[in-house]
Amino acid sequence: MYEVLLAGGTASGKSTVARELERLGARRIDLDQVSRDVCAVGSEVCRRLAEAFGADVLDPRTGELDRALLARRAFSSEESTRELEAIELPAIGEELARRVRTAGDGVVVVEVPLLDRVEDMLYDVDEVVCVTCPLEVRRRRACGRGMDPADFDRRVAHQPSDEYLRAHADTVLDNSGDEEALVARVGAWWEERERAGWPRGGWARGCWRRA
Ligand SMILES: CC(C)(COP(=O)(O)OP(=O)(O)OC[C@H]1O[C@@H](n2cnc3c(N)ncnc32)[C@H](O)[C@@H]1O)[C@@H](O)C(=O)NCCC(=O)NCCS
Ligand SMILES: Nc1ncnc2c1ncn2[C@@H]1O[C@H](COP(=O)(O)OP(=O)(O)OP(=O)(O)O)[C@@H](O)[C@H]1O
């Protein structure tokens, strides 16, 4: 297995990169999807979210999580974002480890919105790839697909900066150009590793890994 952490902030272009890697043959795990799965109706995570953020974050009839309401409350301050993460991250970490264990051979790409929060979850990855893009361009792209600008700003305020990502990445993919340029860069990235036989940790600078 060759395991890649693919990190980037809101609307940086992670999914565009991950889709292309999937097309080339990688298996894809999206931490946002894992975080939705651990909030399934009736889960312990949902029960604790309702306790911390108000019973009305769960639909009284179906038990379904009102994600927009929870997002407004949880991203309103540093403290409430930490509280959200204290409830969800351990469950996300467990489920992620399970999915990686059962992913089989080949290339596995894990899409990570918050690289700084996963360092304790996974440390023997082969490569950390970050997608970066100027904040204004990301805001424009996020709003272009229907995100409220205030919601974008609230979330980004709690995310690692591009400077942090660049400092922790083995490979940086700049996405300030068009999608075609990004996809071409991904193709070149894949080809280079394919030619080298996907050597485990072959491109790692290892600056953030534990021994
Ligand atoms: C608050 C929730 C329910 C809002 O759901 P919603 O459907 O609106 O968003 P979704 O889950 O699709 O996330 C979309 C994006 O929001 C941003 N985001 C999510 N969680 C966080 C966070 N804790 N801090 C900053 N940004 C975040 C990321 O850019 C992410 O890609 C949801 O974001 C959540 O459960 N977050 C906590 C889990 C978490 O920290 N996930 C990140 C995994 S590393
Ligand atoms: N280079 C680009 N030029 C123009 N639009 C782009 C480019 N890259 C991505 N986009 C668009 O920007 C939006 C965000 O891209 P994408 O979904 O890949 O980002 P993401 O990092 O996965 O976002 P999120 O984590 O918030 O879901 C999408 O609508 C996508 O089509």
Side-chain angles (χ1 to χ4, degrees):
M1 181 193 288
Y2 190 90
E3 191 182 335
V4 182
L5 283 195
L6 175 61
T10 302
S12 55
K14 287 182 304 299
S15 303
T16 306
V17 171
R19 266 196 307 275
E20 180 61 11
L21 291 174
E22 193 171 37
R23 196 189 66 76
L24 290 164
R27 248 170 238 264
R28 181 177 168 193
I29 301 174
D30 177 5
L31 270 202
D32 280 337
Q33 186 55 51
V34 173
S35 101
R36 280 177 215 122
D37 295 343
V38 301
C39 295
V41 171
S43 61
E44 173 66 9
V45 170
C46 267
R47 193 192 61 70
R48 292 188 56 205
L49 288 171
E51 212 171 76
F53 292 98
D56 57 341
V57 300
L58 298 183
D59 184 303
R61 269 185 321 108
T62 62
E64 198 115 8
L65 188 62
D66 182 339
R67 305 179 66 83
L69 178 61
L70 176 60
R72 276 198 301 282
R73 291 187 183 158
F75 299 137
S76 64
S77 72
E78 189 68 35
E79 197 192 353
S80 49
T81 305
R82 294 281 168 247
E83 196 170 7
L84 169 80
E85 292 174 3
I87 295 171
E88 285 195 33
L89 286 181
I92 291 174
E94 257 175 50
E95 179 55 20
L96 175 59
R98 195 191 64 75
R99 288 188 196 190
V100 169
R101 260 197 323 273
T102 56
D105 273 344
V107 182
V108 176
V109 176
V110 183
E111 265 180 83
V112 181
L114 308 166
L115 183 61
D116 57 345
R117 318 303 205 269
V118 303
E119 289 176 13
D120 288 339
M121 291 183 191
L122 279 180
Y123 45 88
D124 59 350
V125 297
D126 297 294
E127 186 171 348
V128 178
V129 174
C130 290
V131 190
T132 60
C133 186
L135 198 62
E136 272 316 309
V137 180
R138 286 167 50 203
R139 185 185 282 109
R140 194 165 4 96
R141 286 177 187 165
C143 298
R145 62 171 179 184
M147 192 174 212
D148 168 49
D151 189 20
F152 176 87
D153 291 337
R154 270 196 299 273
R155 290 182 196 222
V156 165
H158 304 295
Q159 295 177 4
S161 64
D162 275 4
E163 288 65 42
Y164 175 95
L165 295 182
R166 274 192 281 271
H168 291 78
D170 300 312
T171 300
V172 177
L173 300 176
D174 169 65
N175 188 24
S176 48
D178 59 18
E179 277 197 48
E180 210 174 293
L182 181 65
V183 167
R185 180 84 174 76
V186 173
W189 178 95
W190 181 279
E191 216 170 276
E192 191 180 16
R193 278 138 193 83
E194 181 99 318
R195 253 199 322 268
W198 299 99
R200 295 220 62 179
W203 272 265
R205 292 188 299 138
C207 58
W208 66 282
R209 276 175 201 78
R210 287 186 281 190

